[in-house]
Amino acid sequence: MKITRRAALKTSALAASALAMRGPRLFSQAATSVDAHIDIVPGEIIGTISPEIYGHFIEHLGGVIYDGVWVGRDSKIANTGGVRQSFLDMMKSIKAPLLRWPGGCFADSYDWRDGIGPADKRPARAAFWGQTDSNEYGLHEFVHTCKATGAKPYLAANMRSLPARDFYDEIEYCNAPSGVLPTHSHSKPVANSFAAQRAANGDPEPFNVDLWGVGNESWGCGGNLVPEEYSAMFRRFTAWTPNFSSTPLRFVAVGPNGNDLDWTRRLFKSLYANAERRHLFGLSVHYYTSGSAKDFAAGDALQFTNDEFYDMLTRASIMEKIVTGHYAAIQEASAANQPKVKLVVDEWGAWYGSGTRIGPEYNLSQQSTMRDALLAGITLDIFQKHADKVGAACVAQTINCLHSLMLAKDDQYFFTPTYHVFKMYMPHMNGQSVRAEFSATAIPNPMANAPIPVGGNSYTGSLDPEKYLSGLSGSASISATNPKLLTLTVVNPHLDRPLTTEINAGAAIASYTGTVLAAPDIHAHNDFTQRDTVKTAAAATASVTGGRVVHTFPPASVTSLEITLA
Ligand code: AHR
């Protein structure tokens, strides 16, 4: 099956002019010597790529916080204020923009008050995931982690087990300025008592948290609610909240599990049933790709067949359908006085069975191979390509968990292939996403014969099987600071086929450079003893002839090209 995107491209006026610039040679050469084409249309801007789509997520779960992020102030492991130094350095190296905390399912049984004040006075509590939480790592420690990395805090508020009042109080505790404040009434100026409490706990300056998840997976661990019930709670929680800035807070409503369009449609119908303007920035979407074609949260991270490899990447690619489908559902529901709502894909990644846990107490930790790097590339390309729809996203989860960028145990750590993908995709941050059409023979999914398992911790469902995987996929953007600089990221999923590809950048190419992530074996991965088995290399570039490039993408690779236009 040949993907017909080129036909779509030809219908666009802008695209037509781009093709005219290129001349007829492309098509004649296409027939004989190249395997694929990439047609970039720099004049057709989709939207600005929010840096927040490269966001992160850490939860009180297994070894994510304790031993992953938090080693403690007295630890022999290098740390800043108790936070593992190598984690901070890793986050800085990829300019991590956003960090979501404290869950996940954990959030809906967590009381933020347990995690403030002197550490030795904090209560140990029964917590989600069958854990006892010492509360040593709490709100202040989290905000310090964010400050030390440069990431913005994204707090998930407890909606299942705490009332709206606690949500308001948490916002006020985080954001009220310290010192004497005007009362905007006849009452005399006063100091805000939450701000005073925060200062007594070591932080006089407000945390200025503007992004708030209102609940988590409320269809599952967050309350077993139906959309109408959740909608009523969301309206009540967000109808009024304390705000200390002229910029409104950004609230994220709980969205679907995977591609559950019924949830999204019913939710928005019910949200807008009350005609007041909603305080709503985004709709959370969670989509995990199971390591098994049959069961959710199964399969092995390291041992898989070629068929399983293609099947898993095909299922990961469903993210595009989810993004376009749920965004369309929001548009259908939209009313003139309601806000423009974006998607916040705040949990995504591969989810395998427990076979590669780094230790029994590291619940949900798993290894990560080149297959996961390709999955990450495909996913980030979808977000970039739909920059007008995706406002933020968080990989689940950054360290010692599912689809992590880093695994750490005591004083040992290493970076996974996915870390390299995040680094390679950095030039897209803040860029203008532009239309790019990929034309290559699709790969039939050898396992497309059964419904696809989807779920999270507490809910499973299924989707129709997907028959084809794109033979080449990716996205393109123009630099925010240099209109002559294009970034093109590309995933070639063929296990054994390099793809010789003609790249038409819509204008003459002056030069290009690139970085590639590939390995002789798709099972290749890093570990505590072999930390650099998978690493990036400079891409072998072709010479630019007549403003055109024919570049070869190696098998099973992720590539990032920096193209300078003449
Ligand atoms: O990331 C692990 C879990 O997956 C999260 O706690 C939950 O939101 C989802 O089900």
Side-chain angles (χ1 to χ4, degrees):
M1 178 188 147
K2 192 83 175 172
I3 289 183
T4 55
R5 287 173 172 151
R6 181 106 48 84
L9 183 74
K10 280 185 193 161
T11 62
S12 146
L14 278 165
S17 64
L19 293 173
M21 272 189 279
R22 176 177 73 184
R25 276 182 63 203
L26 184 150
F27 292 111
S28 52
Q29 181 174 350
T32 53
S33 59
V34 299
D35 306 304
H37 297 275
I38 301 172
D39 294 299
I40 304 170
V41 190
E44 209 167 313
I45 292 169
I46 294 163
T48 301
I49 299 176
S50 166
E52 293 186 348
I53 68 169
Y54 311 95
H56 292 268
F57 170 35
I58 51 172
E59 176 170 12
H60 289 244
L61 158 59
V64 176
I65 299 295
Y66 298 109
D67 197 34
V69 175
W70 181 255
V71 294
R73 291 189 177 84
D74 301 330
S75 175
K76 287 198 286 283
I77 300 165
N79 68 85
T80 298
V83 179
R84 185 185 282 273
Q85 192 60 44
S86 54
F87 173 77
L88 295 175
D89 293 343
M90 185 277 289
M91 294 284 277
K92 279 192 278 190
S93 75
I94 52 170
K95 289 200 167 62
L98 202 66
L99 187 55
R100 178 176 182 245
W101 174 86
C105 294
F106 174 86
D108 273 307
S109 43
Y110 178 64
D111 186 339
W112 62 273
R113 288 184 170 87
D114 291 342
I116 60 174
D120 59 353
K121 301 266 179 331
R122 297 184 195 172
R125 301 272 191 215
F128 203 87
W129 304 107
Q131 297 176 188
T132 301
D133 202 297
S134 64
N135 278 304
E136 208 182 321
Y137 189 87
L139 187 53
H140 289 252
E141 289 75 20
F142 169 65
V143 172
H144 298 166
T145 307
C146 291
K147 286 218 170 99
T149 61
K152 269 189 161 203
Y154 171 19
L155 286 176
N158 179 344
M159 198 190 210
R160 188 195 64 227
S161 56
L162 289 179
R165 176 86 244 171
D166 293 271
F167 179 49
Y168 305 157
D169 290 351
E170 188 178 5
I171 294 172
E172 195 165 335
Y173 183 89
C174 287
N175 294 349
S178 55
V180 174
L181 302 177
T183 60
H184 305 298
S185 74
H186 281 295
S187 150
K188 63 179 191 308
V190 286
N192 180 287
S193 65
F194 277 122
Q197 191 186 1
R198 189 189 63 232
N201 288 333
D203 282 296
E205 290 309 313
F207 295 155
N208 296 327
V209 179
D210 83 316
L211 192 60
W212 294 83
V214 187
N216 172 76
E217 298 195 349
S218 302
W219 31 264
C221 59
N224 298 173
L225 306 179
V226 298
E228 294 75 16
E229 291 167 332
Y230 172 75
S231 159
M233 287 181 76
F234 179 88
R235 285 189 256 120
R236 200 156 55 76
F237 269 60
T238 58
W240 178 86
T241 50
N243 197 0
F244 303 94
S245 146
S246 50
T247 319
L249 297 175
R250 297 187 293 162
F251 293 128
V252 179
V254 168
N257 171 30
N259 201 18
D260 182 0
L261 274 165
D262 180 59
W263 173 276
T264 301
R265 290 192 182 118
R266 283 169 59 189
L267 175 68
F268 275 85
K269 189 166 176 223
S270 175
L271 278 176
Y272 297 161
N274 171 296
E276 288 287 313
R277 185 177 164 84
R278 296 278 80 79
H279 302 283
L280 179 57
F281 164 76
L283 179 74
S284 154
V285 172
H286 291 181
Y287 177 57
Y288 287 101
T289 311
S290 175
S292 156
K294 287 205 305 282
D295 302 308
F296 188 75
D300 197 275
L302 295 180
Q303 289 168 27
F304 50 90
T305 63
N306 290 355
D307 284 3
E308 286 170 329
F309 166 84
Y310 285 124
D311 173 65
M312 196 169 167
L313 293 190
T314 311
R315 288 184 287 108
S317 308
I318 289 173
M319 183 65 90
E320 182 151 27
K321 200 186 263 183
I322 294 173
V323 164
T324 53
H326 289 265
Y327 191 75
I330 298 171
Q331 304 313 300
E332 280 159 27
S334 71
N337 68 327
Q338 294 299 352
K340 294 216 173 319
V341 179
K342 292 217 167 182
L343 299 174
V344 176
V345 189
D346 48 15
E347 292 189 26
W348 67 267
W351 191 326
Y352 301 103
S354 57
T356 61
R357 267 189 201 175
I358 58 171
E361 66 278 27
Y362 296 78
N363 192 11
L364 297 196
S365 64
Q366 62 187 31
Q367 253 294 3
S368 214
T369 64
M370 274 300 299
R371 172 171 65 165
D372 301 293
L374 268 69
L375 192 156
I378 288 171
T379 306
L380 293 177
D381 278 319
I382 292 168
F383 297 160
Q384 287 154 190
K385 194 170 152 189
H386 295 283
D388 53 333
K389 307 175 187 74
V390 184
C394 304
V395 65
Q397 302 185 10
T398 310
I399 181 167
N400 286 353
C401 198
L402 313 167
H403 218 125
S404 295
L405 281 74
M406 173 176 179
L407 296 179
K409 198 174 179 188
D410 305 324
D411 60 350
Q412 313 257 295
Y413 71 90
F414 66 92
F415 298 153
T416 67
T418 292
Y419 163 77
H420 294 293
V421 176
F422 271 75
K423 202 152 178 24
M424 288 165 68
Y425 278 49
M426 284 171 68
H428 281 300
M429 283 186 182
N430 286 311
Q432 295 289 304
S433 171
V434 293
R435 188 167 174 203
E437 295 296 332
F438 288 70
S439 182
T441 304
I443 302 169
N445 176 7
M447 297 176 73
N449 46 19
I452 295 170
V454 280
N457 168 63
S458 51
Y459 176 93
T460 55
S462 66
L463 299 174
D464 291 339
E466 281 291 315
K467 294 206 167 67
Y468 291 98
L469 170 65
S470 294
L472 195 69
S473 62
S475 62
S477 69
I478 301 174
S479 156
T481 51
N482 179 358
K484 294 269 184 206
L485 186 63
L486 276 176
T487 298
L488 173 68
T489 44
V490 179
V491 173
N492 173 11
H494 291 85
L495 281 168
D496 48 10
R497 270 189 74 194
L499 280 194
T500 300
T501 305
E502 179 156 40
I503 302 171
N504 165 33
I509 295 173
S511 62
Y512 81 111
T513 58
T515 309
V516 65
L517 187 70
D521 180 359
I522 193 66
H523 302 87
H525 56 278
N526 298 330
D527 64 27
F528 290 112
T529 52
Q530 308 280 325
R531 300 171 72 215
D532 280 323
T533 304
V534 180
K535 59 178 186 222
T536 54
T541 49
S543 51
V544 179
T545 321
R548 295 162 60 245
V549 160
V550 176
H551 181 87
T552 299
F553 296 98
S557 64
V558 182
T559 301
S560 175
L561 300 181
E562 295 290 288
I563 299 173
T564 306
L565 300 176

